[in-house]
Amino acid sequence: MKSVNTRTLWRAAVVCVIILAILYIMTFHNCSGKLRQEVPTTQTRLAGDSPQRPLPPPGPCTCADGAEMLKDHIPKDQYEKLVQRRAKELQQHKARTTSVLSRLLIALPNSPLQYPIQGFTVRPLIPTPIPGLALHAGQRSSYKVSLNVSKGVLTTQIQAEDVKVQGGGGTRLVMESSSLVILNEALAKVSYTSTVYHIHTGDLASFQFENHQAVFPITIKQPQVPVLHDMGTDISSHVSIATKTFLRYPQLKVMLSSLRRFYSNIEVIIADDSFEPENITGEHIRQYFMASSQGWFAGRNLAVSQVTTKYFLWVDDDFLFTENTKIEKLVEVMEAVPELDVLGGTVQGNQFYFSLLYEEGEELEGGCLHRKSQDKFQSLPGYPKCFLASGVVNFFLARTDAVQRVGFDPQLQRVAHSEFFMDGLGSLLVATCDHVSIDHQPKTGHTDNARYGSFRNPGRSDVDFKLQLHFFKNHLKCVKYG
Amino acid sequence: MKSVNTRTLWRAAVVCVIILAILYIMTFHNCSGKLRQEVPTTQTRLAGDSPQRPLPPPGPCTCADGAEMLKDHIPKDQYEKLVQRRAKELQQHKARTTSVLSRLLIALPNSPLQYPIQGFTVRPLIPTPIPGLALHAGQRSSYKVSLNVSKGVLTTQIQAEDVKVQGGGGTRLVMESSSLVILNEALAKVSYTSTVYHIHTGDLASFQFENHQAVFPITIKQPQVPVLHDMGTDISSHVSIATKTFLRYPQLKVMLSSLRRFYSNIEVIIADDSFEPENITGEHIRQYFMASSQGWFAGRNLAVSQVTTKYFLWVDDDFLFTENTKIEKLVEVMEAVPELDVLGGTVQGNQFYFSLLYEEGEELEGGCLHRKSQDKFQSLPGYPKCFLASGVVNFFLARTDAVQRVGFDPQLQRVAHSEFFMDGLGSLLVATCDHVSIDHQPKTGHTDNARYGSFRNPGRSDVDFKLQLHFFKNHLKCVKYG
């Protein structure tokens, strides 16, 4: 029995080995198959999703009830050519404001690739290592990855000993190694150098391994030199007063003396387009004479262009400073919330402000704009009685550089105010507070007032002009004044 | 033998089954182990790489040989307080110019999560579906994902039938389902709504499944209303001429008459800070009077603030228009390359231009700036004889809005030119062409010239002032003038 048993067991063993071998191979094949499977199925499931997709163009926007349809204000005979010129300018605007950096990119799942999705910024023409590049794949006999860019070149410092490198110094870099560790060392040493100078654009890098592809953005940006303002130590080195006058010297003088009661040496900048210019004398006063009746926004632009302080306070020439006109309090808020650009107060207790609701709309038609009076957003951190808004009253403290960036359109010669905040929508952060106020001077029967009124109050033609301007300049279809 | 054989084989079979059972379990355990392993090992291997990392602060920059060390020009007794004020302004500058959108984000490998890495932009306070969210995991009895944000809320429209949703309307959304397909339907319907109004900021969304985490950016941006210029149909509606004069009326008049020989009705804007102002008469001329000797850049700023055309041509008051002063040719290049902001020509055959090499440097010390005369970048597409540069000569065509965005610092009263391009580095795209030129008027012995020179030529104090200004305003450690 013994001999039989051993023989039997020996035979059993042989049979086993064979069956086992087959079974083991099958099993292992299966399960390593599972490893590979994960991805192809994913890939097919994602047929629709490429890692890179253009954003859909915006559809037409809807005009609010009672909105002004701007095209109705364009003379019929000019309309066609005007719309052509507008379309051309919009294309230029887009070329200036968009790049591959606004394209939608999707990170695909179950990819063995590691890469930077945000924050990789290079200076033009300067070689910069790409952070976070790596491959983490299962066991292979050899690992091969490739990188592609279009506006620059790729290099790696690795010695070509254990890793095969092709295309170093070009737009396509291919690296292959039998060791994953060594390949990742090579990837960690890959640098990107833009071949073009530009102040702000981008490139898209494509990173590939077998059937996996990842696309990630490269920001090419010339760093801006900071432009900082020395605030100095007292209010007159923080703020200048800016105003525009036209035919109202008596009011202007009253305003100035009310200012001097509280601020003796703060700089005042006066833009003046009166017919018979009169010299305003006094310390810390700079008066600028324009060709007569150049207009409201041209004057504002001139005054702001001459400010040398970090902030300026805008006042009308018929305002009256009171003990509640505490400029320091407005400065305090601006300094505490540095992102703010414009901070409005109240005029004779009237805290006027509005929000602007804007939809880009369809390219040919243009956008829709809705001004909502007394509509505001959240309150300022630390200042529960100050609120963000899109536009404020004619009495505001502003960052000089921010307002110069937007500017007051000199084409607007008479009644114009919201127009500045429309041009600045999206580039000025605006807020309103009710704890700083200024007064209006009582209306006088001064002789020039009638004459002044005849210039100030817009006729129908002015309104048409303004709506035509919004149609072209702001690429709008309609404006609702609420 | 037969009976023995069968018995033997039977025994063998039994033994096999047992060994196989054990082996198979071991093998399968191993290989399904591989499936699970792939990620933990990856995770540990990536210990250093979290998907979110702050960018390293820039180190100190190196000053080129012969560079001006700016701190040496600050009076010792003012230095300490000045540096404190500068540091504070820099922090405000950073608060205005950076957000989570500049933080470095890394996509980790072998993650079953799919998500948008770029291009997901929302308007403040407006609900927006998040594109591309999905989970692609192997078989599970139940699938549970979570999303976290900080500056907004998350919602999904799905019916809570087959998917369990927690935290809808809050900053953390958790969804669980036994069906991967249904979970992905729910993910496709997730919307983000910012809870704060801001013109341009960002949020970071964290997307989680088991031990996998992905972080992706959400851009919160108030769309800007376009500000387009109607070019009209002729050169005088494309371009205005801007100049500044001081004590040189004879030269100014010669310049104006030379202009009129070639351009009869183009608008001219003159900023004038002479002591005894003289009215310049003539059609399409606008003259602005400043307080006397306000200075060079203040005058430039004033003139530019009054331009209503898309472009303006800067000329000095002693230039001379010739048949080679073809403004149309400069306009043609600007229109063909819409990203351009400033395009210089040549003055009396001298095509002056320079590049600016800028390193941000370390926070307390400041940056390093190197001006390299006659250094340029690549040529313009389609215009092989025009090249990008950082700054150009005193004769240039510019986009009015772009130059107003940077501005000429009114604090610079006398010799100043490069300073404008320093302030504009990174925000103005500048180029130079040699196919459009203007001449200088021959030097005259005019009486005012001596007096003019005494104002124009800087004394030592002016140089100090300028270097002090760069130290604070541009946050620089040194400037090399090459």
Side-chain angles (χ1 to χ4, degrees):
Chain A
M1 268 305 272
K2 223 181 193 165
S3 68
V4 172
N5 274 3
T6 42
R7 221 193 281 108
T8 313
L9 283 177
W10 187 83
R11 285 204 195 110
V14 173
V15 183
C16 272
V17 170
I18 299 160
I19 307 175
L20 285 182
I22 298 161
L23 258 172
Y24 194 85
I25 289 161
M26 283 170 60
T27 322
F28 183 80
H29 171 79
N30 262 356
C31 98
S32 66
K34 275 203 191 69
L35 265 182
R36 263 193 258 92
Q37 257 174 40
E38 191 85 13
V39 173
T41 42
T42 306
Q43 292 290 322
T44 43
R45 233 200 264 120
L46 291 176
D49 284 325
S50 98
Q52 185 189 145
R53 287 185 298 188
L55 287 171
C61 57
T62 33
C63 298
D65 292 354
E68 288 274 4
M69 300 308 295
L70 302 180
K71 65 182 290 185
D72 304 345
H73 298 266
I74 313 287
K76 294 279 160 293
D77 56 330
Q78 301 169 22
Y79 184 75
E80 199 173 317
K81 284 204 154 46
L82 191 83
V83 170
Q84 285 169 11
R85 292 202 300 271
R86 187 177 79 156
K88 172 173 162 293
E89 291 298 321
L90 183 68
Q91 291 318 312
Q92 290 202 353
H93 173 72
K94 286 187 160 186
R96 288 173 60 81
T97 52
T98 61
S99 73
V100 292
L101 296 177
S102 43
R103 192 171 308 167
L104 180 62
L105 298 179
I106 304 285
L108 295 181
N110 301 312
S111 158
L113 298 166
Q114 176 185 306
Y115 54 94
I117 70 172
Q118 175 186 271
F120 179 48
T121 301
V122 304
R123 287 158 57 200
L125 310 173
I126 307 290
T128 315
I130 304 178
L133 283 186
L135 175 67
H136 298 281
Q139 188 62 47
R140 305 280 199 283
S141 62
S142 172
Y143 304 83
K144 184 178 185 179
V145 294
S146 70
L147 274 160
N148 289 281
V149 295
S150 58
K151 288 183 185 156
V153 293
L154 297 158
T155 50
T156 180
Q157 280 83 24
I158 201 85
Q159 299 310 322
E161 271 291 316
D162 319 297
V163 56
K164 199 148 106 263
V165 178
Q166 301 167 31
T171 58
R172 175 177 171 80
L173 183 69
V174 182
M175 299 196 293
E176 183 167 10
S177 175
S178 55
S179 156
L180 184 55
V181 174
I182 291 171
L183 182 73
N184 280 326
E185 283 168 7
L187 279 171
K189 295 200 174 69
V190 172
S191 285
Y192 175 87
T193 312
S194 88
T195 45
V196 294
Y197 177 84
H198 200 293
I199 51 173
H200 192 186
T201 184
D203 199 351
L204 293 180
S206 161
F207 187 21
Q208 279 169 305
F209 171 71
E210 292 175 1
N211 59 352
H212 301 284
Q213 188 204 15
V215 175
F216 62 88
I218 300 172
T219 303
I220 303 171
K221 198 171 189 328
Q222 168 61 56
Q224 292 187 18
V225 174
V227 178
L228 312 176
H229 275 83
D230 187 351
M231 288 272 287
T233 52
D234 71 332
I235 189 71
S236 61
S237 57
H238 303 345
V239 180
S240 309
I241 309 292
T243 192
K244 154 85 170 62
T245 195
F246 174 59
L247 303 178
R248 296 205 296 196
Y249 289 111
Q251 287 89 333
L252 176 63
K253 289 169 184 167
V254 172
M255 186 273 280
L256 289 173
S257 57
S258 72
L259 166 70
R260 288 300 179 221
R261 278 181 52 215
F262 305 99
Y263 299 97
S264 57
N265 60 355
I266 201 164
E267 190 86 3
V268 180
I269 295 162
I270 303 165
D272 187 342
D273 64 346
S274 303
F275 293 107
E276 301 90 13
E278 179 181 326
N279 279 301
I280 302 295
T281 52
E283 291 222 316
H284 307 294
I285 290 178
R286 283 187 275 142
Q287 187 179 16
Y288 297 81
F289 297 105
M290 315 165 65
S292 59
S293 65
Q294 274 296 308
W296 181 221
F297 265 25
R300 280 192 176 196
N301 239 11
L302 188 155
V304 174
S305 78
Q306 299 303 299
V307 176
T308 56
T309 48
K310 181 178 181 181
Y311 300 112
F312 72 89
L313 183 75
W314 181 266
V315 295
D316 287 353
D317 56 357
D318 62 347
F319 281 177
L320 195 72
F321 283 77
T322 74
E323 53 288 330
N324 299 323
T325 316
K326 291 257 176 294
I327 305 175
E328 297 83 349
K329 289 188 179 175
L330 293 174
V331 173
E332 181 202 324
V333 178
M334 293 288 276
E335 286 289 298
V337 189
E339 289 166 283
L340 275 184
D341 296 307
V342 176
L343 183 60
T346 73
V347 177
Q348 204 124 28
N350 167 24
Q351 183 186 11
F352 171 74
Y353 52 84
F354 57 86
S355 70
L356 292 170
L357 310 182
Y358 169 61
E359 289 178 76
E360 278 178 90
E362 183 271 329
E363 263 202 21
L364 273 175
E365 274 188 332
C368 305
L369 191 67
H370 183 174
R371 185 186 70 184
K372 278 184 155 181
S373 295
Q374 303 310 105
D375 189 39
K376 61 194 187 210
F377 306 112
Q378 79 270 17
S379 67
L380 292 181
Y383 297 91
K385 296 184 75 192
C386 300
F387 296 87
L388 289 175
S390 305
V392 294
V393 69
N394 244 358
F395 167 62
F396 56 82
L397 187 78
R399 284 185 64 100
T400 309
D401 56 6
V403 168
Q404 282 172 342
R405 215 165 50 228
V406 174
F408 299 94
D409 185 344
Q411 295 179 85
L412 292 161
Q413 300 202 324
R414 299 209 260 185
V415 177
H417 181 69
S418 307
E419 290 70 14
F420 164 67
F421 294 103
M422 291 179 183
D423 287 349
L425 182 63
S427 46
L428 294 177
L429 195 62
V430 179
T432 175
C433 295
D434 68 358
H435 66 303
V436 178
S437 68
I438 199 164
D439 277 0
H440 240 126
Q441 295 174 34
K443 295 261 168 287
T444 68
H446 188 277
T447 51
D448 259 346
N449 271 13
R451 190 178 179 192
Y452 175 84
S454 71
F455 281 93
R456 195 176 193 292
N457 302 327
R460 181 71 201 155
S461 67
D462 276 27
V463 175
D464 276 337
F465 173 79
K466 203 183 284 188
L467 296 173
Q468 290 168 16
L469 193 64
H470 286 313
F471 178 83
F472 193 112
K473 185 177 79 168
N474 302 128
H475 197 261
L476 293 175
K477 174 170 72 174
C478 53
V479 180
K480 162 100 184 246
Y481 296 94
Chain B
M1 270 301 276
K2 220 177 198 178
S3 67
V4 171
N5 273 2
T6 42
R7 224 190 279 109
T8 314
L9 282 179
W10 189 83
R11 287 205 193 107
V14 173
V15 180
C16 272
V17 169
I18 298 158
I19 308 174
L20 283 183
I22 298 160
L23 258 171
Y24 193 85
I25 288 161
M26 285 169 57
T27 322
F28 184 79
H29 171 81
N30 263 354
C31 97
S32 66
K34 277 205 192 67
L35 263 181
R36 263 192 257 94
Q37 259 170 41
E38 190 82 13
V39 173
T41 42
T42 307
Q43 293 291 325
T44 43
R45 232 199 267 119
L46 292 175
D49 284 326
S50 95
Q52 186 187 148
R53 286 186 299 189
L55 288 172
C61 58
T62 32
C63 298
D65 292 353
E68 288 274 5
M69 300 308 294
L70 302 180
K71 67 182 289 185
D72 304 344
H73 297 267
I74 312 286
K76 296 277 161 293
D77 55 330
Q78 303 170 19
Y79 183 75
E80 199 174 316
K81 282 204 157 45
L82 192 83
V83 170
Q84 285 169 9
R85 292 203 301 270
R86 188 178 80 154
K88 172 172 161 292
E89 291 298 320
L90 183 68
Q91 292 318 311
Q92 289 201 353
H93 173 73
K94 286 187 159 185
R96 289 173 60 80
T97 52
T98 60
S99 71
V100 291
L101 296 178
S102 43
R103 192 172 307 168
L104 180 61
L105 298 179
I106 305 284
L108 295 181
N110 302 311
S111 159
L113 298 166
Q114 177 184 304
Y115 53 94
I117 70 171
Q118 176 187 271
F120 178 48
T121 301
V122 304
R123 287 157 58 200
L125 310 174
I126 306 289
T128 314
I130 304 177
L133 283 186
L135 174 69
H136 298 283
Q139 189 62 47
R140 303 283 197 284
S141 62
S142 173
Y143 304 84
K144 184 177 183 179
V145 294
S146 70
L147 274 160
N148 288 280
V149 296
S150 59
K151 290 184 184 155
V153 293
L154 297 158
T155 50
T156 181
Q157 279 84 25
I158 202 83
Q159 298 311 319
E161 268 292 315
D162 319 298
V163 56
K164 198 146 105 264
V165 178
Q166 301 165 32
T171 58
R172 175 177 171 80
L173 182 69
V174 181
M175 299 195 292
E176 183 169 11
S177 175
S178 55
S179 155
L180 184 55
V181 175
I182 290 171
L183 182 73
N184 280 326
E185 283 169 7
L187 279 171
K189 293 201 175 71
V190 172
S191 285
Y192 174 87
T193 311
S194 88
T195 45
V196 294
Y197 177 85
H198 200 292
I199 52 174
H200 192 187
T201 184
D203 198 352
L204 293 180
S206 161
F207 186 21
Q208 279 170 305
F209 171 71
E210 292 174 0
N211 59 352
H212 300 283
Q213 188 204 14
V215 175
F216 62 89
I218 300 171
T219 303
I220 304 171
K221 198 173 190 326
Q222 168 62 55
Q224 292 187 18
V225 175
V227 178
L228 311 176
H229 274 83
D230 187 350
M231 289 271 288
T233 51
D234 71 334
I235 188 70
S236 62
S237 57
H238 302 345
V239 179
S240 309
I241 309 292
T243 191
K244 154 85 171 61
T245 195
F246 174 60
L247 303 177
R248 295 205 296 194
Y249 289 111
Q251 286 89 333
L252 176 64
K253 288 170 183 166
V254 172
M255 185 272 280
L256 289 173
S257 57
S258 72
L259 165 70
R260 288 298 179 223
R261 279 181 51 216
F262 306 99
Y263 299 97
S264 58
N265 59 355
I266 200 163
E267 190 87 1
V268 181
I269 294 162
I270 303 166
D272 188 342
D273 64 346
S274 305
F275 293 107
E276 301 89 14
E278 180 182 327
N279 278 301
I280 302 296
T281 53
E283 291 223 315
H284 306 295
I285 290 178
R286 280 187 278 144
Q287 186 178 15
Y288 298 81
F289 296 105
M290 315 164 66
S292 59
S293 65
Q294 275 294 308
W296 181 223
F297 265 25
R300 278 193 177 194
N301 240 10
L302 189 156
V304 174
S305 78
Q306 300 303 299
V307 176
T308 57
T309 49
K310 181 179 181 180
Y311 300 111
F312 72 89
L313 182 76
W314 181 265
V315 295
D316 288 352
D317 56 357
D318 61 347
F319 282 177
L320 194 72
F321 283 77
T322 74
E323 53 287 330
N324 299 321
T325 317
K326 290 258 178 291
I327 306 174
E328 296 83 349
K329 288 188 179 174
L330 293 174
V331 173
E332 180 203 324
V333 178
M334 293 288 275
E335 286 289 298
V337 189
E339 288 165 284
L340 276 184
D341 295 308
V342 176
L343 183 60
T346 74
V347 177
Q348 204 122 30
N350 168 25
Q351 184 186 11
F352 171 74
Y353 51 84
F354 57 87
S355 71
L356 292 170
L357 310 182
Y358 169 61
E359 288 178 76
E360 278 178 272
E362 182 272 328
E363 263 202 19
L364 275 175
E365 276 188 332
C368 304
L369 192 66
H370 184 174
R371 185 187 70 183
K372 280 184 154 180
S373 295
Q374 303 311 107
D375 188 39
K376 60 193 188 210
F377 307 112
Q378 79 270 16
S379 67
L380 293 181
Y383 298 91
K385 297 183 73 194
C386 300
F387 296 87
L388 289 176
S390 303
V392 294
V393 70
N394 245 358
F395 167 63
F396 55 82
L397 187 77
R399 285 185 62 99
T400 310
D401 55 6
V403 169
Q404 282 172 341
R405 216 167 47 228
V406 173
F408 299 95
D409 185 345
Q411 295 180 83
L412 292 162
Q413 299 203 326
R414 301 209 261 186
V415 177
H417 182 69
S418 306
E419 290 70 13
F420 164 67
F421 294 103
M422 291 178 183
D423 287 349
L425 180 62
S427 45
L428 295 177
L429 194 62
V430 179
T432 174
C433 296
D434 68 356
H435 66 303
V436 178
S437 69
I438 199 163
D439 278 0
H440 239 127
Q441 294 175 33
K443 293 263 168 287
T444 68
H446 188 279
T447 51
D448 259 346
N449 271 12
R451 190 178 180 192
Y452 174 84
S454 71
F455 282 94
R456 193 178 195 288
N457 302 326
R460 181 70 201 155
S461 66
D462 276 28
V463 175
D464 277 337
F465 174 79
K466 203 185 282 188
L467 295 173
Q468 290 168 15
L469 192 64
H470 287 313
F471 178 82
F472 194 112
K473 185 176 79 168
N474 302 128
H475 197 260
L476 293 175
K477 174 170 69 173
C478 54
V479 180
K480 162 103 184 239
Y481 295 94

